[in-house]
Each structure stands twice: as structure tokens, then as C-alpha cells.
Amino acid sequence: MNQPHAAARSAHASAGTPGWVQDVTAARDGGAVFFDFLTAVDLEADGFQVVCRLWDPEQRTEQLLTTHCPREDPRVPSVVGVFAGAAWHERAVADLFGIVFEGHDTQPLLLPPGFEGHPLRKDFPLAAREAKQWPGAKDPGESDADLLVPKRRRAKPLGARDWPS
């Protein structure tokens, strides 16, 4: 007979940049030995939040660890010495957010050579929205009945700058 799985529990920790590697190491030593992922969140004026999810297979619990870094000079110590699998994740975050992981050579991973900018930052303009306006008679989500109603002022799509007149 199959035993039902115990519900997963989670624990959250937040560290300043200096204690980041020590917190990840302590979580690993405490049983969270499975490295799941490492990513970042753009908090705009508040900088970036780096997020690491670890899993404890014995206790069936997750550890969600976070740290912050400023927007002007985003730097976080690398956790590759703790989890070798973090190398790919750190390279992706460096590529897409522009965060420097100290102690790890984060060569470009996903973007082509010569690419300028970091596409997952909220201030990065979306190229498709920059090139041209929506070409359809209807905006996505509008019906044919909407065409009979006088047009409202067109809203600017997310991630687009003002269109030239």
C-alpha cells in the first residue's frame, strides 16, 4: 500500500549580502541538500532580491533563502562553493539581471555576444513593443462588437516607451 506524502513545509530566511554564503551553507548542513534554483527579482528602486530554493528530502521541507543587493552596483557572493549546481543559475542571473557573483566568473550564457542590457530588469525596453504599434484592428481581447464603439485613447503596452507621432 502506498503511503500518502507528507505535506511539504517551508522555511524562509533573509540575509544581508555578507551572511549569504553562511546562510546557504547552514541550510545545506541542516539537511537541505538538494539545490533547486537560484534567481533574482527586480525591486526597481530597492535594488534586487536574489532567491535560492533548497529542498530537504528527509524532512520534505523547502528552504527559501533571500538576500538583497543595490541597483547601482549589484554584487552578491557566489554560492558555487556550497552547491556546484548553482553555477548555471548564477550565470543566467548575471546575464539577465546584471548581478555580479563575486568569486565566480559568470561568462554570458543565454544572450548573444555583444547584447547590450539585461532583459529581465524592469527598466529594459521590450524591443517588439518599440519597433511598431499593434497592427491589428482590434487589441488582444477585444471582440467585433468593440469595433462599433468609438475608439478610446490607446494605452501604451507594458514595456514600451512613448510612440513617435
Side-chain angles (χ1 to χ4, degrees), residues 11-29 35-41 48-54 63-69 74-83 86-87 89-90 93 99-104:
H12 302 276
S14 184
T17 302
W20 172 242
V21 176
Q22 291 83 356
D23 284 354
V24 173
T25 303
R28 181 203 59 197
D29 295 346
F35 173 85
D36 191 7
F37 68 84
L38 182 138
T39 190
V41 178
F48 298 97
Q49 181 180 40
V50 178
V51 181
C52 178
R53 182 180 185 268
L54 306 175
Q63 292 278 328
L64 197 60
L65 305 164
T66 62
T67 189
H68 289 83
C69 59
R75 296 180 171 277
V76 173
S78 174
V79 294
V80 170
V82 182
F83 288 104
H89 299 259
E90 288 183 359
V93 168
I99 297 173
V100 175
F101 287 89
E102 296 170 334
H104 180 205

